[in-house]
């Protein structure tokens, strides 16, 4: 894709679409909903560990949620035909909010996995609808900045809530965290229902050219899988690998800040230099950061872990923005639902695979070995990043 106007369409508005009421409501609803996901990403594994789960079981808490997320995303072709995007978002947020207090019933692995699965279904609906709504509300000339702002609304909860949730759970208790996230997510329902626009996408998955529509999205899918594996491993095992709550929370905060820096930084320039140009250095930043975390989780000074976590976060955030914009452009205005679904499946599937795979490595070897495996897997996607950037 050469430097040109994106094929993604958006509504015409009198003022800047980036400041429209509907887009701002979408950003707020996204922040509230993703706050549930981000906060509990590390808290639920801690809850399961407190209940006696080993490394494999702890990893499964994230893996099952992400698996359910991907499973719900596989149903998006049907859901797009019967629900508007804003209603799909609202139902997903409601599922997440209603399920969250059920964690307090038991910290045994079975009940924790069951609740995580329900939350995963809701989360899958929220993120696919949110990405597609962004493409629907923002015109082509501003899609890079629009995706960057949407990325900020998904990334800020990690900055504010992920480290805070870990600290509160370990120092105060789990119940306040679960109840606060219930209120957060349920507040997103009336918020997103105020969005105007975002009808049913024009995707028709039953068409015979589905494989042809998926092929241009494959490189972005592979890249997102690779970097997301690291997210599943870090969010699940970093608080356990670094025993000191404050250090672990600081490292998670640094990672989250890095994600937002990466997404906003790339989003600000992709409309000018063309999307996809920064994906290779972003992948390398993610791999180097993860390798640094592996060293620090072993014999290195753990107090420096936030620096490595920040480097991983910058790379991860930049890859997110680059791949989503490229995939939306390649899918075209009638394929925004498909592109959003494929991108989110890679993100969530990678996080789930990372948690389960690295959980098995932790059980067989160590946290250090798990982070080394993650760094290698991220670095393995560098040839794809190089090849695909030459096509853009």
């Amino acid at each position: 894709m050469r430097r040109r106007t994106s094929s993604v369409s958006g509504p015409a508005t009198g003022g800047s679409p980036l400041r429209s009421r509907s887009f701002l409501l979408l950003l707020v609803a996204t922040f509230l909903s993703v706050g549930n996901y981000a906060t509990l990403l590390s808290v639920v594994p801690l809850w399961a560990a407190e209940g006696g789960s080993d490394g494999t079981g702890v990893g499964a808490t994230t893996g099952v949620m992400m698996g359910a997320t991907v499973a719900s995303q596989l149903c998006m072709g049907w859901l797009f035909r019967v629900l508007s995007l804003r209603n799909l978002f609202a139902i997903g947020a409601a599922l997440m909010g209603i399920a969250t207090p059920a964690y307090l019933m038991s910290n045994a692995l079975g009940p924790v996995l069951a609740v995580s699965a329900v939350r995963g279904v809701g989360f899958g609906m929220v993120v696919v609808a949110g990405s597609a709504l962004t493409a629907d509300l923002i015109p082509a000339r501003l899609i890079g900045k629009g995706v960057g702002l949407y990325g900020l609304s998904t990334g800020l909860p990690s900055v504010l809530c992920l480290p805070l949730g870990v600290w509160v759970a370990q120092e105060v208790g789990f119940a306040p965290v679960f109840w606060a996230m219930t209120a957060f997510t349920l507040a997103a329902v009336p918020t997103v229902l105020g969005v105007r626009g975002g009808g049913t996408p024009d995707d028709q998955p039953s068409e015979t050219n589905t494989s042809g529509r998926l092929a241009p999205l494959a490189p972005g899918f592979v890249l997102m899988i690779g970097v997301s594996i690291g997210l599943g491993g870090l969010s699940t095992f970093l608080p356990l690998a670094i025993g000191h709550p404050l250090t672990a929370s600081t490292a998670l905060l640094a990672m989250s800040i890095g994600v937002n820096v990466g997404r906003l930084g790339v989003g600000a320039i992709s409309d000018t230099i063309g999307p996809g140009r920064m994906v290779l250095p972003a992948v390398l930043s993610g791999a180097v950061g993860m390798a640094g975390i592996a060293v620090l989780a072993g014999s290195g000074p753990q107090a420096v872990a936030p620096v490595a976590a920040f480097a991983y976060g910058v790379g991860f955030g930049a890859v997110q923005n680059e791949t989503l914009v490229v995939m939306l452009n390649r899918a075209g205005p009638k394929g925004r639902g498909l592109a959003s679904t494929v991108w989110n499946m890679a993100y969530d599937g990678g996080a789930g695979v990372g948690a389960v795979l690295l959980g098995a490595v932790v059980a067989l070897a160590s946290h250090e070995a798990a982070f080394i495996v993650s760094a290698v897997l991220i670095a393995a996607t560098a040839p794809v990043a190089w090849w695909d950037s030459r096509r853009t």
Side-chain angles (χ1 to χ4, degrees), residues 21-299:
R21 178 179 180 275
S22 286
F23 188 55
L24 293 176
L25 285 174
L26 172 63
L27 296 183
V28 172
T30 300
F31 175 84
L32 293 170
S33 300
V34 178
N36 181 298
Y37 161 79
T39 304
L40 302 186
L41 198 57
S42 291
V43 169
V44 170
L46 288 172
W47 181 240
E50 187 167 287
S53 297
D54 60 9
T56 303
V58 168
T61 62
T62 302
V64 165
M65 180 176 174
M66 295 296 98
T69 298
V70 172
S72 73
Q73 290 163 350
L74 290 172
C75 301
M76 288 300 155
W78 174 76
L79 291 173
F80 283 155
R81 290 193 290 270
V82 297
L83 291 170
S84 69
L85 291 172
R86 62 179 173 271
N87 287 340
L88 185 63
F89 191 118
I91 293 170
L95 277 176
M96 294 178 71
I98 292 170
T100 298
Y103 281 121
L104 294 171
M105 295 173 62
S106 173
N107 58 8
L109 185 59
V112 169
L113 294 181
V115 177
S116 296
V118 175
R119 287 180 55 242
V121 171
F123 184 63
M125 299 167 73
V126 163
V127 293
V128 170
S131 300
L133 270 169
T134 299
D136 196 63
L137 296 171
I138 300 300
R141 71 185 188 279
L142 296 174
I143 190 63
K145 293 182 178 67
V147 169
L149 289 173
Y150 174 75
L152 181 64
S153 71
T154 65
L156 274 180
S158 295
V159 174
L160 302 174
C161 304
L162 178 56
L164 181 62
V166 170
W167 184 86
V168 172
Q170 292 182 321
E171 300 294 330
V172 180
F174 288 90
V177 179
F178 292 138
W179 283 115
M181 289 307 102
T182 298
F184 242 59
T185 322
L186 292 179
V189 176
T191 304
V192 76
L193 291 177
V195 171
R196 294 294 174 260
T200 304
D202 249 347
D203 290 314
Q204 298 296 333
S206 61
E207 291 178 358
T208 57
N209 67 340
T210 299
S211 61
R213 299 167 68 201
L214 289 173
L217 309 180
F221 182 86
V222 171
L223 291 168
M224 278 304 301
I225 283 277
V227 295
S228 297
I229 284 174
L231 175 68
L234 281 184
S235 59
T236 304
F237 295 107
L238 189 61
L240 297 172
I242 299 177
H244 193 279
L246 181 59
T247 303
S249 296
T250 303
L252 291 172
L253 174 63
M255 179 189 74
S256 302
I257 292 174
V259 170
N260 287 282
V261 169
R263 290 202 72 160
L264 282 177
V266 168
I269 64 174
S270 66
D271 292 329
T272 302
I273 69 171
R277 306 293 184 183
M278 297 295 295
V279 69
L280 178 57
V283 166
L284 295 177
S285 175
V288 169
M290 187 62 67
I293 292 169
V295 172
L296 296 170
S299 57

